[in-house]
Amino acid sequence: MIYLGIESSCDETAAALIEVVAGIPKILGHRVHSQNHTASGGVIPQVAAREHLLHLPKVMESLFKEAGIQPQDLGGIGVTAGPGLIGGLLVGVMWAKGLALSLSKPLWPVHHLEAHALMVRMEVPVAFPYLLLLLSGGHCMLTLVHDVQRYELLGQTRDDAAGECLDKVARALGGPYPGGVYIEERARHGNPQAVNLPIPFEHAAHCDFSFSGLKTACLQWIQKHPNLTDSQDFCASFQKVIADSLSERVAHALRQTSLLRCVLSGGVAANAYFRQRLQETCAKYGAKLYAPPPAYCTDNGLMIAWTTYELHRKGIAPCTDFQVRPQWPLPH
Ligand code: AMP
Ligand code: MG
């Protein structure tokens, strides 16, 4: 059966086609158009919505051409219905509803964070339950994944997400958006011990995060060093402190749950240093870290197509009568 997944919740206009035979997925096509925010320094919701409107038709056309199939060949359609920016969500959902109704195909509203949570299973069949560290531009949470549509929140950020912190600090350094990629590149040849920065919630016995204090400390450090010509040491130190904080929280969650499987996902999970550090932390507890390939960590259509398959497999009924949900907690 062939599944189409459409994603437009933030600043990626993406769609993908997968064929699943006996639980084994095959990628038929995969298209992502990423918006460029170098001029504005971040996502402007109205601009993002207009860009989705402009690019979704092109993304869809090239996707079906790449896959060599017709819309009539689809078995099911999935679309991100939330959480996200309302304008972008509406563009994707209206397109998906139009397609589903005109072709009489089943449609599933997909939870964007659930898609990040399940994406890893497309490549490796990680068994439930597992611990999930979800790190995207707007979310930072530790969750227990019991099953499809069954999540238990262990902790989340009390202020900024790690991705947001990376983006803001990179911007203060004059780097482009998204900041995480820039920081990772600059950090590669820097000394992580060079700059002393505070580790958020160091030694705390809970699973919550906080990154706004670290962000402020970084912005103040940058202000005090206006003639900085080489930010490599600073970036390495900053990246290390984020990894220290993430590792401590994951260690706490592993001790609390005794789980031996941990999944890292979301855009920030593309970072090789974070993957390495968290893999070492998991190994200390005899646990294994899983993460989607870096290219599938940031928003994409494959995660929506795969989650559509997971919902279908689980017997969740399709429906065309649903609203977009800009705010949507993970289902318990
Ligand atoms: P998402 O919201 O899942 O699309 O993820 C976007 C976030 O991922 C942004 O905050 C980016 O800065 C961050 N990001 C993307 N690539 C990397 C990377 N290689 N290292 C760290 N953060 C990254
Ligand atoms: Mg995302």
Side-chain angles (χ1 to χ4, degrees), residues 307-326:
T307 303
T308 307
Y309 159 73
E310 293 258 31
L311 294 170
H312 190 195
R313 179 186 63 79
K314 190 76 192 156
I316 309 293
C319 77
T320 42
D321 186 15
F322 62 89
Q323 309 269 328
V324 298
R325 295 183 66 177

mmCIF file with all atom_site columns, all heavy atoms in Angstrom, residues 307-326:
data_model
loop_
_atom_site.group_PDB
_atom_site.id
_atom_site.type_symbol
_atom_site.label_atom_id
_atom_site.label_alt_id
_atom_site.label_comp_id
_atom_site.label_asym_id
_atom_site.label_entity_id
_atom_site.label_seq_id
_atom_site.pdbx_PDB_ins_code
_atom_site.Cartn_x
_atom_site.Cartn_y
_atom_site.Cartn_z
_atom_site.occupancy
_atom_site.B_iso_or_equiv
_atom_site.pdbx_formal_charge
_atom_site.auth_seq_id
_atom_site.auth_comp_id
_atom_site.auth_asym_id
_atom_site.auth_atom_id
_atom_site.pdbx_PDB_model_num
ATOM 1   N N   . THR A 1 307 ? 4.220   7.696  9.734  1.00 0.00 ? 307 THR A N   1
ATOM 2   C CA  . THR A 1 307 ? 3.272   7.739  10.854 1.00 0.00 ? 307 THR A CA  1
ATOM 3   C C   . THR A 1 307 ? 1.857   7.405  10.362 1.00 0.00 ? 307 THR A C   1
ATOM 4   O O   . THR A 1 307 ? 1.081   6.762  11.076 1.00 0.00 ? 307 THR A O   1
ATOM 5   C CB  . THR A 1 307 ? 3.335   9.118  11.552 1.00 0.00 ? 307 THR A CB  1
ATOM 6   O OG1 . THR A 1 307 ? 4.682   9.331  11.965 1.00 0.00 ? 307 THR A OG1 1
ATOM 7   C CG2 . THR A 1 307 ? 2.421   9.189  12.761 1.00 0.00 ? 307 THR A CG2 1
ATOM 8   N N   . THR A 1 308 ? 1.540   7.813  9.162  1.00 0.00 ? 308 THR A N   1
ATOM 9   C CA  . THR A 1 308 ? 0.238   7.477  8.580  1.00 0.00 ? 308 THR A CA  1
ATOM 10  C C   . THR A 1 308 ? 0.106   5.949  8.502  1.00 0.00 ? 308 THR A C   1
ATOM 11  O O   . THR A 1 308 ? -0.940  5.380  8.868  1.00 0.00 ? 308 THR A O   1
ATOM 12  C CB  . THR A 1 308 ? 0.102   8.092  7.170  1.00 0.00 ? 308 THR A CB  1
ATOM 13  O OG1 . THR A 1 308 ? 0.374   9.489  7.267  1.00 0.00 ? 308 THR A OG1 1
ATOM 14  C CG2 . THR A 1 308 ? -1.280  7.877  6.596  1.00 0.00 ? 308 THR A CG2 1
ATOM 15  N N   . TYR A 1 309 ? 1.177   5.299  8.065  1.00 0.00 ? 309 TYR A N   1
ATOM 16  C CA  . TYR A 1 309 ? 1.170   3.830  8.033  1.00 0.00 ? 309 TYR A CA  1
ATOM 17  C C   . TYR A 1 309 ? 0.985   3.255  9.450  1.00 0.00 ? 309 TYR A C   1
ATOM 18  O O   . TYR A 1 309 ? 0.182   2.343  9.656  1.00 0.00 ? 309 TYR A O   1
ATOM 19  C CB  . TYR A 1 309 ? 2.476   3.289  7.414  1.00 0.00 ? 309 TYR A CB  1
ATOM 20  C CG  . TYR A 1 309 ? 2.742   1.856  7.800  1.00 0.00 ? 309 TYR A CG  1
ATOM 21  C CD1 . TYR A 1 309 ? 1.986   0.813  7.258  1.00 0.00 ? 309 TYR A CD1 1
ATOM 22  C CD2 . TYR A 1 309 ? 3.706   1.548  8.759  1.00 0.00 ? 309 TYR A CD2 1
ATOM 23  C CE1 . TYR A 1 309 ? 2.190   -0.500 7.651  1.00 0.00 ? 309 TYR A CE1 1
ATOM 24  C CE2 . TYR A 1 309 ? 3.915   0.239  9.160  1.00 0.00 ? 309 TYR A CE2 1
ATOM 25  C CZ  . TYR A 1 309 ? 3.158   -0.780 8.603  1.00 0.00 ? 309 TYR A CZ  1
ATOM 26  O OH  . TYR A 1 309 ? 3.352   -2.072 9.010  1.00 0.00 ? 309 TYR A OH  1
ATOM 27  N N   . GLU A 1 310 ? 1.715   3.831  10.427 1.00 0.00 ? 310 GLU A N   1
ATOM 28  C CA  . GLU A 1 310 ? 1.624   3.325  11.813 1.00 0.00 ? 310 GLU A CA  1
ATOM 29  C C   . GLU A 1 310 ? 0.190   3.490  12.358 1.00 0.00 ? 310 GLU A C   1
ATOM 30  O O   . GLU A 1 310 ? -0.329  2.610  13.045 1.00 0.00 ? 310 GLU A O   1
ATOM 31  C CB  . GLU A 1 310 ? 2.610   4.073  12.718 1.00 0.00 ? 310 GLU A CB  1
ATOM 32  C CG  . GLU A 1 310 ? 4.078   3.798  12.411 1.00 0.00 ? 310 GLU A CG  1
ATOM 33  C CD  . GLU A 1 310 ? 4.732   2.818  13.390 1.00 0.00 ? 310 GLU A CD  1
ATOM 34  O OE1 . GLU A 1 310 ? 4.033   1.925  13.906 1.00 0.00 ? 310 GLU A OE1 1
ATOM 35  O OE2 . GLU A 1 310 ? 5.946   2.956  13.617 1.00 0.00 ? 310 GLU A OE2 1
ATOM 36  N N   . LEU A 1 311 ? -0.455  4.613  12.053 1.00 0.00 ? 311 LEU A N   1
ATOM 37  C CA  . LEU A 1 311 ? -1.831  4.857  12.517 1.00 0.00 ? 311 LEU A CA  1
ATOM 38  C C   . LEU A 1 311 ? -2.778  3.850  11.874 1.00 0.00 ? 311 LEU A C   1
ATOM 39  O O   . LEU A 1 311 ? -3.670  3.288  12.524 1.00 0.00 ? 311 LEU A O   1
ATOM 40  C CB  . LEU A 1 311 ? -2.266  6.291  12.170 1.00 0.00 ? 311 LEU A CB  1
ATOM 41  C CG  . LEU A 1 311 ? -1.520  7.429  12.885 1.00 0.00 ? 311 LEU A CG  1
ATOM 42  C CD1 . LEU A 1 311 ? -1.883  8.785  12.271 1.00 0.00 ? 311 LEU A CD1 1
ATOM 43  C CD2 . LEU A 1 311 ? -1.835  7.438  14.381 1.00 0.00 ? 311 LEU A CD2 1
ATOM 44  N N   . HIS A 1 312 ? -2.570  3.630  10.578 1.00 0.00 ? 312 HIS A N   1
ATOM 45  C CA  . HIS A 1 312 ? -3.406  2.689  9.833  1.00 0.00 ? 312 HIS A CA  1
ATOM 46  C C   . HIS A 1 312 ? -3.235  1.271  10.394 1.00 0.00 ? 312 HIS A C   1
ATOM 47  O O   . HIS A 1 312 ? -4.218  0.566  10.675 1.00 0.00 ? 312 HIS A O   1
ATOM 48  C CB  . HIS A 1 312 ? -3.020  2.737  8.346  1.00 0.00 ? 312 HIS A CB  1
ATOM 49  C CG  . HIS A 1 312 ? -3.956  1.995  7.450  1.00 0.00 ? 312 HIS A CG  1
ATOM 50  N ND1 . HIS A 1 312 ? -3.646  1.669  6.166  1.00 0.00 ? 312 HIS A ND1 1
ATOM 51  C CD2 . HIS A 1 312 ? -5.218  1.506  7.661  1.00 0.00 ? 312 HIS A CD2 1
ATOM 52  C CE1 . HIS A 1 312 ? -4.654  1.012  5.626  1.00 0.00 ? 312 HIS A CE1 1
ATOM 53  N NE2 . HIS A 1 312 ? -5.625  0.911  6.510  1.00 0.00 ? 312 HIS A NE2 1
ATOM 54  N N   . ARG A 1 313 ? -1.960  0.883  10.593 1.00 0.00 ? 313 ARG A N   1
ATOM 55  C CA  . ARG A 1 313 ? -1.644  -0.450 11.134 1.00 0.00 ? 313 ARG A CA  1
ATOM 56  C C   . ARG A 1 313 ? -2.295  -0.651 12.498 1.00 0.00 ? 313 ARG A C   1
ATOM 57  O O   . ARG A 1 313 ? -2.768  -1.735 12.836 1.00 0.00 ? 313 ARG A O   1
ATOM 58  C CB  . ARG A 1 313 ? -0.115  -0.579 11.262 1.00 0.00 ? 313 ARG A CB  1
ATOM 59  C CG  . ARG A 1 313 ? 0.391   -1.887 11.830 1.00 0.00 ? 313 ARG A CG  1
ATOM 60  C CD  . ARG A 1 313 ? 1.905   -1.866 12.054 1.00 0.00 ? 313 ARG A CD  1
ATOM 61  N NE  . ARG A 1 313 ? 2.343   -0.879 13.031 1.00 0.00 ? 313 ARG A NE  1
ATOM 62  C CZ  . ARG A 1 313 ? 2.271   -1.031 14.341 1.00 0.00 ? 313 ARG A CZ  1
ATOM 63  N NH1 . ARG A 1 313 ? 1.789   -2.147 14.850 1.00 0.00 ? 313 ARG A NH1 1
ATOM 64  N NH2 . ARG A 1 313 ? 2.682   -0.086 15.163 1.00 0.00 ? 313 ARG A NH2 1
ATOM 65  N N   . LYS A 1 314 ? -2.344  0.429  13.273 1.00 0.00 ? 314 LYS A N   1
ATOM 66  C CA  . LYS A 1 314 ? -2.881  0.369  14.632 1.00 0.00 ? 314 LYS A CA  1
ATOM 67  C C   . LYS A 1 314 ? -4.415  0.357  14.630 1.00 0.00 ? 314 LYS A C   1
ATOM 68  O O   . LYS A 1 314 ? -5.052  0.184  15.672 1.00 0.00 ? 314 LYS A O   1
ATOM 69  C CB  . LYS A 1 314 ? -2.355  1.593  15.394 1.00 0.00 ? 314 LYS A CB  1
ATOM 70  C CG  . LYS A 1 314 ? -2.592  1.603  16.855 1.00 0.00 ? 314 LYS A CG  1
ATOM 71  C CD  . LYS A 1 314 ? -1.662  0.673  17.598 1.00 0.00 ? 314 LYS A CD  1
ATOM 72  C CE  . LYS A 1 314 ? -2.146  0.506  19.021 1.00 0.00 ? 314 LYS A CE  1
ATOM 73  N NZ  . LYS A 1 314 ? -1.723  -0.701 19.661 1.00 0.00 ? 314 LYS A NZ  1
ATOM 74  N N   . GLY A 1 315 ? -5.013  0.582  13.475 1.00 0.00 ? 315 GLY A N   1
ATOM 75  C CA  . GLY A 1 315 ? -6.476  0.550  13.384 1.00 0.00 ? 315 GLY A CA  1
ATOM 76  C C   . GLY A 1 315 ? -7.133  1.882  13.699 1.00 0.00 ? 315 GLY A C   1
ATOM 77  O O   . GLY A 1 315 ? -8.347  1.940  13.971 1.00 0.00 ? 315 GLY A O   1
ATOM 78  N N   . ILE A 1 316 ? -6.360  2.955  13.695 1.00 0.00 ? 316 ILE A N   1
ATOM 79  C CA  . ILE A 1 316 ? -6.939  4.293  13.928 1.00 0.00 ? 316 ILE A CA  1
ATOM 80  C C   . ILE A 1 316 ? -7.752  4.668  12.679 1.00 0.00 ? 316 ILE A C   1
ATOM 81  O O   . ILE A 1 316 ? -7.249  4.605  11.552 1.00 0.00 ? 316 ILE A O   1
ATOM 82  C CB  . ILE A 1 316 ? -5.828  5.351  14.151 1.00 0.00 ? 316 ILE A CB  1
ATOM 83  C CG1 . ILE A 1 316 ? -4.815  4.900  15.220 1.00 0.00 ? 316 ILE A CG1 1
ATOM 84  C CG2 . ILE A 1 316 ? -6.418  6.735  14.443 1.00 0.00 ? 316 ILE A CG2 1
ATOM 85  C CD1 . ILE A 1 316 ? -5.320  4.794  16.619 1.00 0.00 ? 316 ILE A CD1 1
ATOM 86  N N   . ALA A 1 317 ? -9.010  5.047  12.898 1.00 0.00 ? 317 ALA A N   1
ATOM 87  C CA  . ALA A 1 317 ? -9.895  5.340  11.763 1.00 0.00 ? 317 ALA A CA  1
ATOM 88  C C   . ALA A 1 317 ? -9.478  6.626  11.042 1.00 0.00 ? 317 ALA A C   1
ATOM 89  O O   . ALA A 1 317 ? -9.149  7.622  11.687 1.00 0.00 ? 317 ALA A O   1
ATOM 90  C CB  . ALA A 1 317 ? -11.333 5.476  12.257 1.00 0.00 ? 317 ALA A CB  1
ATOM 91  N N   . PRO A 1 318 ? -9.506  6.603  9.704  1.00 0.00 ? 318 PRO A N   1
ATOM 92  C CA  . PRO A 1 318 ? -9.216  7.833  8.963  1.00 0.00 ? 318 PRO A CA  1
ATOM 93  C C   . PRO A 1 318 ? -10.395 8.801  9.086  1.00 0.00 ? 318 PRO A C   1
ATOM 94  O O   . PRO A 1 318 ? -11.492 8.385  9.446  1.00 0.00 ? 318 PRO A O   1
ATOM 95  C CB  . PRO A 1 318 ? -9.066  7.339  7.522  1.00 0.00 ? 318 PRO A CB  1
ATOM 96  C CG  . PRO A 1 318 ? -9.866  6.088  7.455  1.00 0.00 ? 318 PRO A CG  1
ATOM 97  C CD  . PRO A 1 318 ? -9.819  5.465  8.830  1.00 0.00 ? 318 PRO A CD  1
ATOM 98  N N   . CYS A 1 319 ? -10.167 10.075 8.790  1.00 0.00 ? 319 CYS A N   1
ATOM 99  C CA  . CYS A 1 319 ? -11.288 11.031 8.775  1.00 0.00 ? 319 CYS A CA  1
ATOM 100 C C   . CYS A 1 319 ? -10.896 12.280 7.998  1.00 0.00 ? 319 CYS A C   1
ATOM 101 O O   . CYS A 1 319 ? -9.723  12.629 7.926  1.00 0.00 ? 319 CYS A O   1
ATOM 102 C CB  . CYS A 1 319 ? -11.730 11.389 10.191 1.00 0.00 ? 319 CYS A CB  1
ATOM 103 S SG  . CYS A 1 319 ? -10.673 12.529 11.046 1.00 0.00 ? 319 CYS A SG  1
ATOM 104 N N   . THR A 1 320 ? -11.904 12.888 7.381  1.00 0.00 ? 320 THR A N   1
ATOM 105 C CA  . THR A 1 320 ? -11.636 14.127 6.649  1.00 0.00 ? 320 THR A CA  1
ATOM 106 C C   . THR A 1 320 ? -12.204 15.333 7.403  1.00 0.00 ? 320 THR A C   1
ATOM 107 O O   . THR A 1 320 ? -11.927 16.473 7.054  1.00 0.00 ? 320 THR A O   1
ATOM 108 C CB  . THR A 1 320 ? -12.259 14.092 5.237  1.00 0.00 ? 320 THR A CB  1
ATOM 109 O OG1 . THR A 1 320 ? -13.553 13.526 5.334  1.00 0.00 ? 320 THR A OG1 1
ATOM 110 C CG2 . THR A 1 320 ? -11.415 13.319 4.258  1.00 0.00 ? 320 THR A CG2 1
ATOM 111 N N   . ASP A 1 321 ? -12.996 15.045 8.445  1.00 0.00 ? 321 ASP A N   1
ATOM 112 C CA  . ASP A 1 321 ? -13.653 16.121 9.177  1.00 0.00 ? 321 ASP A CA  1
ATOM 113 C C   . ASP A 1 321 ? -12.848 16.463 10.436 1.00 0.00 ? 321 ASP A C   1
ATOM 114 O O   . ASP A 1 321 ? -13.186 16.029 11.535 1.00 0.00 ? 321 ASP A O   1
ATOM 115 C CB  . ASP A 1 321 ? -15.084 15.675 9.551  1.00 0.00 ? 321 ASP A CB  1
ATOM 116 C CG  . ASP A 1 321 ? -15.864 16.816 10.183 1.00 0.00 ? 321 ASP A CG  1
ATOM 117 O OD1 . ASP A 1 321 ? -15.401 17.979 10.064 1.00 0.00 ? 321 ASP A OD1 1
ATOM 118 O OD2 . ASP A 1 321 ? -16.892 16.545 10.822 1.00 0.00 ? 321 ASP A OD2 1
ATOM 119 N N   . PHE A 1 322 ? -11.772 17.205 10.262 1.00 0.00 ? 322 PHE A N   1
ATOM 120 C CA  . PHE A 1 322 ? -10.965 17.617 11.417 1.00 0.00 ? 322 PHE A CA  1
ATOM 121 C C   . PHE A 1 322 ? -10.424 19.020 11.180 1.00 0.00 ? 322 PHE A C   1
ATOM 122 O O   . PHE A 1 322 ? -10.332 19.490 10.049 1.00 0.00 ? 322 PHE A O   1
ATOM 123 C CB  . PHE A 1 322 ? -9.818  16.631 11.676 1.00 0.00 ? 322 PHE A CB  1
ATOM 124 C CG  . PHE A 1 322 ? -8.823  16.530 10.538 1.00 0.00 ? 322 PHE A CG  1
ATOM 125 C CD1 . PHE A 1 322 ? -7.720  17.377 10.479 1.00 0.00 ? 322 PHE A CD1 1
ATOM 126 C CD2 . PHE A 1 322 ? -8.987  15.582 9.521  1.00 0.00 ? 322 PHE A CD2 1
ATOM 127 C CE1 . PHE A 1 322 ? -6.814  17.287 9.428  1.00 0.00 ? 322 PHE A CE1 1
ATOM 128 C CE2 . PHE A 1 322 ? -8.083  15.498 8.471  1.00 0.00 ? 322 PHE A CE2 1
ATOM 129 C CZ  . PHE A 1 322 ? -6.989  16.353 8.421  1.00 0.00 ? 322 PHE A CZ  1
ATOM 130 N N   . GLN A 1 323 ? -10.104 19.679 12.294 1.00 0.00 ? 323 GLN A N   1
ATOM 131 C CA  . GLN A 1 323 ? -9.561  21.037 12.250 1.00 0.00 ? 323 GLN A CA  1
ATOM 132 C C   . GLN A 1 323 ? -8.045  20.976 12.406 1.00 0.00 ? 323 GLN A C   1
ATOM 133 O O   . GLN A 1 323 ? -7.534  20.012 12.979 1.00 0.00 ? 323 GLN A O   1
ATOM 134 C CB  . GLN A 1 323 ? -10.099 21.840 13.452 1.00 0.00 ? 323 GLN A CB  1
ATOM 135 C CG  . GLN A 1 323 ? -11.588 21.794 13.643 1.00 0.00 ? 323 GLN A CG  1
ATOM 136 C CD  . GLN A 1 323 ? -12.279 22.920 12.913 1.00 0.00 ? 323 GLN A CD  1
ATOM 137 O OE1 . GLN A 1 323 ? -11.721 23.997 12.777 1.00 0.00 ? 323 GLN A OE1 1
ATOM 138 N NE2 . GLN A 1 323 ? -13.489 22.676 12.449 1.00 0.00 ? 323 GLN A NE2 1
ATOM 139 N N   . VAL A 1 324 ? -7.348  22.020 11.984 1.00 0.00 ? 324 VAL A N   1
ATOM 140 C CA  . VAL A 1 324 ? -5.927  22.099 12.307 1.00 0.00 ? 324 VAL A CA  1
ATOM 141 C C   . VAL A 1 324 ? -5.811  22.427 13.802 1.00 0.00 ? 324 VAL A C   1
ATOM 142 O O   . VAL A 1 324 ? -6.704  23.054 14.374 1.00 0.00 ? 324 VAL A O   1
ATOM 143 C CB  . VAL A 1 324 ? -5.172  23.170 11.474 1.00 0.00 ? 324 VAL A CB  1
ATOM 144 C CG1 . VAL A 1 324 ? -5.227  22.842 10.004 1.00 0.00 ? 324 VAL A CG1 1
ATOM 145 C CG2 . VAL A 1 324 ? -5.687  24.561 11.742 1.00 0.00 ? 324 VAL A CG2 1
ATOM 146 N N   . ARG A 1 325 ? -4.760  21.939 14.423 1.00 0.00 ? 325 ARG A N   1
ATOM 147 C CA  . ARG A 1 325 ? -4.583  22.176 15.857 1.00 0.00 ? 325 ARG A CA  1
ATOM 148 C C   . ARG A 1 325 ? -3.194  22.771 16.120 1.00 0.00 ? 325 ARG A C   1
ATOM 149 O O   . ARG A 1 325 ? -2.238  22.019 16.375 1.00 0.00 ? 325 ARG A O   1
ATOM 150 C CB  . ARG A 1 325 ? -4.772  20.877 16.640 1.00 0.00 ? 325 ARG A CB  1
ATOM 151 C CG  . ARG A 1 325 ? -6.202  20.352 16.544 1.00 0.00 ? 325 ARG A CG  1
ATOM 152 C CD  . ARG A 1 325 ? -6.416  19.115 17.375 1.00 0.00 ? 325 ARG A CD  1
ATOM 153 N NE  . ARG A 1 325 ? -6.282  19.383 18.799 1.00 0.00 ? 325 ARG A NE  1
ATOM 154 C CZ  . ARG A 1 325 ? -6.478  18.452 19.735 1.00 0.00 ? 325 ARG A CZ  1
ATOM 155 N NH1 . ARG A 1 325 ? -6.792  17.219 19.396 1.00 0.00 ? 325 ARG A NH1 1
ATOM 156 N NH2 . ARG A 1 325 ? -6.337  18.748 21.004 1.00 0.00 ? 325 ARG A NH2 1
ATOM 157 N N   . PRO A 1 326 ? -3.073  24.121 16.071 1.00 0.00 ? 326 PRO A N   1
ATOM 158 C CA  . PRO A 1 326 ? -1.766  24.761 16.292 1.00 0.00 ? 326 PRO A CA  1
ATOM 159 C C   . PRO A 1 326 ? -1.158  24.365 17.639 1.00 0.00 ? 326 PRO A C   1
ATOM 160 O O   . PRO A 1 326 ? 0.048   24.243 17.766 1.00 0.00 ? 326 PRO A O   1
ATOM 161 C CB  . PRO A 1 326 ? -2.091  26.256 16.254 1.00 0.00 ? 326 PRO A CB  1
ATOM 162 C CG  . PRO A 1 326 ? -3.351  26.347 15.453 1.00 0.00 ? 326 PRO A CG  1
ATOM 163 C CD  . PRO A 1 326 ? -4.129  25.105 15.742 1.00 0.00 ? 326 PRO A CD  1
#
